Amino acid sequence: MYRRLQEFVGKNYDATYSAKVKMTFGTFVEKDRKEKKVKLPTAGAKNVFLVGKERLTEGKYVVDMQRSDYDELFETIDANEMVVLETLVKGEQYAVDQIVETGLQANDKLKVNAQGKLEKDATGADAIAVYIGEYMDAGHKLHAIEIL
């Protein structure tokens, strides 16, 4: 899951890719331009995107219109499912749950690991974001970050 806290209005969202493997809404991914798929990133990658999808109820769930954004139906992105990629722009702030939270403190630099999660970057050399702190969203704990 991710929430936009402060973003630039009017940027493009790329909806021309599908997921190479099963993943979670809010995972950090890289594009595979040959296959037109998104994949889990190489550890330390900097050209990454937040992956999302359209929140549509389908099939037997169509009558249940009051679903939480945190419902597994919306959180799970299946392999080959079309996705929406959010480009990260310097200065934007997001609240994310795809993060290794052990030992995090405000102002820690964050890099992407091979599972598509943010983790503390001890040297700062591969950092793409800085940690702000915890963020509560309707009873769900997220972590606020600012893009570098």
Side-chain angles (χ1 to χ4, degrees), residues 15-24 29 32 35-40 51-54 58 76-84:
T16 62
Y17 285 76
S18 62
K20 190 170 191 168
V21 297
K22 186 175 181 177
M23 57 186 65
T24 302
V29 296
D32 181 337
E35 294 187 35
K36 291 297 278 183
K37 296 196 178 279
V38 295
K39 60 184 181 176
L40 295 176
V51 69
K53 69 176 188 175
E54 295 294 330
E58 298 174 332
T76 302
I77 298 171
D78 291 319
N80 299 313
E81 185 174 358
M82 294 302 291
V83 297
V84 178

Side-chain angles (χ1 to χ4, degrees), residues 58-115:
E58 298 174 332
K60 66 181 180 182
Y61 302 107
V62 76
V63 296
D64 188 6
M65 298 303 291
Q66 298 297 320
R67 294 186 94 73
S68 166
D69 286 349
Y70 289 91
D71 191 289
E72 186 178 333
L73 179 67
F74 299 142
E75 280 285 282
T76 302
I77 298 171
D78 291 319
N80 299 313
E81 185 174 358
M82 294 302 291
V83 297
V84 178
L85 299 176
E86 176 135 4
T87 303
L88 306 173
V89 179
K90 181 179 179 175
E92 289 183 324
Q93 292 183 9
Y94 295 90
V96 300
D97 67 354
Q98 297 300 298
I99 191 166
V100 178
E101 56 185 283
T102 307
L104 284 180
Q105 297 180 21
N107 295 320
D108 282 346
K109 299 283 193 292
L110 303 169
K111 65 180 178 180
V112 176
N113 69 20
Q115 290 77 45

Side-chain angles (χ1 to χ4, degrees), residues 126-140:
D126 293 323
I128 65 160
V130 64
Y131 185 69
I132 297 171
E134 289 183 4
Y135 179 89
M136 293 304 292
D137 180 41
H140 299 272

